[in-house]
Every structure is written in structure tokens, then in C-alpha cells.
Amino acid sequence: GDSVTQKEGLVTLTEGLPVMLNCTYQTIYSNAFLFWYVHYLNESPRLLLKSSTDNKRTEHQGFHATLHKSSSSFHLQKSSAQLSDSALYYCALSPNYGNEKITFGAGTKLTIKP
Amino acid sequence: EAAVTQSPRNKVTVTGGNVTLSCRQTNSHNYMYWYRQDTGHGLRLIHYSYGAGNLQIGDVPDGYKATRTTQEDFFLLLELASPSQTSLYFCASSDGLGVSYEQYFGPGTRLTVL
């Protein structure tokens, strides 16, 4: 079945440094959608960005990610971390064959320190 | 703006107890989902539905029943609660039209089974 791997469970960075959260996935479906969801403390998870286009950079709220089907990766990046970026980040996959099921990774907790 | 509400927001019960978690969405979405969120496991899909009367099995269904009574309402039932079901439960909805795939999450229900 489909799977999403986020190797880093916890990432701690100093404000101003670049952010990179890793995401790799497995699916047999070539038209899969990949997502990043962000979950701030005491809020609901919400969509940060999504893509189904190979090698196209997707950007939102200062974050960006590029889907690379050749390496089955969809890493999340930001050039300069802010304190407000501290949150739980989920990579997720939908196989896009019509059953509307999304598989989430285990999540990466990002903590930004002054 | 998508609207998903959950009740109760917090629930404490004892082992063997009977619990019903409620979810309502006012987005006219076809798809609704129940997830549990646990540290180290991320968001795991329990059950989902694509319309009133429909139920699809998720990835961690054991010990849970669900029922979709209307397009708006989706219930999660724990008939013999166990401490392993202590978790944060999220409901979500999506339009499932093959274009967006974005899921809109409710505020969560924190369940403690003693």
C-alpha cells in the first residue's frame, strides 16, 4: 500500500537559519498528489501546500517544495526560519485514483529557538 | 470558509465505557474522515465516508465503529473503550472532486480512557 516517510521526528533550529523537512513516499500511482499540512498548537491541522506536477516548485507562506517523482520526494523548505514556524508538519499523499483517501506521515515537530 | 465542528472537545471515560464522538460539517462536502493523532504515529485514518449511509474502513479501524447519518454528520463510536484508545481525535471533510483534495479539519476531541 501507499506510505509516507518523515525520518525526522524532531527538528530544532535557530531563528534565521534555513528549514528543510524531509519527505519520501511510496505509491504505485503515477498521478499521486503530495501535500504538506501544518498543525499549530491548539489549532486544527491545515493545508500548507500541495503538488502533483513533477519537478515544479510550489510555494505558499514563505515555504516551498518540489515534487520529484524520480526520487519519490517532496521536501519542505524555507530560506529563513521564524519563531512562528514552530509547529507539527505532516507530509501526506493521495493516490488520486478516486477513493479520496490520504495517507499521512508520522509528522515532524519543528521548534524554532531565538 | 470551510467549517467542521466536533463535540465534545474533551471526554474522560473508564475502561469498558461507551463513547460517541460527533462531527458536523457545513461545507456541503461529500467526504468525511475520522483520524486519531498520536506522538510518533502522526494522523492515522480510522474510518471515512463518501455520503450518508456509506462507510469505508481506514487503516486503524479495530475497536471503532462509525456512522454517517446525513451529509453533514459523522459519528465515531467506541463501544468498549480501552486505555489504548486514549488519543486526540480529528474529524475532517473534503469535496473529493478530484481537483482540490484539501481536507478541512475540526478542532479535535481529546479522549482519555482510564
Side-chain angles (χ1 to χ4, degrees):
Chain A
D2 301 325
S3 65
V4 176
T5 301
Q6 295 179 252
K7 288 186 176 179
E8 310 106 347
L10 297 169
V11 172
T12 302
L13 293 170
T14 301
E15 187 179 18
L17 291 181
V19 177
M20 181 164 175
L21 306 184
N22 290 307
C23 173
T24 56
Y25 64 92
Q26 286 190 321
T27 182
I28 63 173
Y29 297 97
S30 58
N31 293 326
F33 262 95
L34 271 293
F35 308 84
W36 278 100
Y37 278 79
V38 59
H39 187 192
Y40 296 102
L41 189 64
N42 296 325
E43 295 185 10
S44 305
R46 59 178 175 83
L47 182 67
L48 180 58
L49 45 80
K50 65 182 181 186
S51 179
S52 64
T53 305
D54 197 14
N55 297 318
K56 181 180 178 181
R57 175 170 162 146
T58 301
E59 298 189 35
H60 188 60
Q61 295 186 331
F63 287 91
H64 63 92
T66 302
L67 177 59
H68 292 295
K69 295 186 179 182
S70 60
S71 58
S72 298
S73 67
F74 190 57
H75 305 319
L76 183 67
Q77 299 182 68
K78 188 177 185 185
S79 59
S80 176
Q82 298 177 292
L83 296 175
S84 59
D85 294 330
S86 294
L88 184 55
Y89 291 81
Y90 288 108
C91 184
L93 173 151
S94 174
N96 195 19
Y97 64 85
N99 77 342
E100 313 299 344
K101 178 183 169 184
I102 292 181
T103 299
F104 287 83
T108 298
K109 184 178 180 180
L110 176 65
T111 302
I112 307 300
K113 294 186 173 182
Chain B
E1 180 73 26
V4 181
T5 56
Q6 294 181 234
S7 63
R9 296 293 310 279
N10 289 281
K11 176 72 177 179
V12 180
T13 190
V14 295
T15 299
N18 200 324
V19 177
T20 298
L21 306 184
S22 302
C23 178
R24 167 164 284 199
Q25 57 99 0
T26 58
N27 315 314
S28 300
H29 285 167
N30 290 323
Y31 285 80
M32 296 185 73
Y33 307 80
W34 277 107
Y35 294 92
R36 59 178 291 173
Q37 183 187 58
D38 304 285
T39 302
H41 294 280
L43 287 163
R44 292 181 290 175
L45 182 64
I46 304 170
H47 292 296
Y48 65 110
S49 167
Y50 58 72
N54 175 264
L55 182 65
Q56 302 293 313
I57 306 298
D59 298 319
V60 289
D62 292 346
Y64 301 96
K65 293 184 179 180
T67 181
R68 179 90 175 268
T69 54
T70 64
Q71 186 182 35
E72 294 80 17
D73 298 303
F74 195 30
F75 300 92
L76 186 67
L77 295 81
L78 292 73
E79 293 184 333
L80 287 172
S82 73
S84 65
Q85 294 176 308
T86 294
S87 186
L88 181 58
Y89 291 85
F90 284 101
C91 177
S93 74
S94 75
D95 57 15
L97 296 178
V99 175
S100 169
Y101 284 102
E102 178 173 359
Q103 295 200 348
Y104 296 87
F105 285 83
T109 294
R110 187 167 296 281
L111 174 67
T112 302
V113 184
L114 302 174

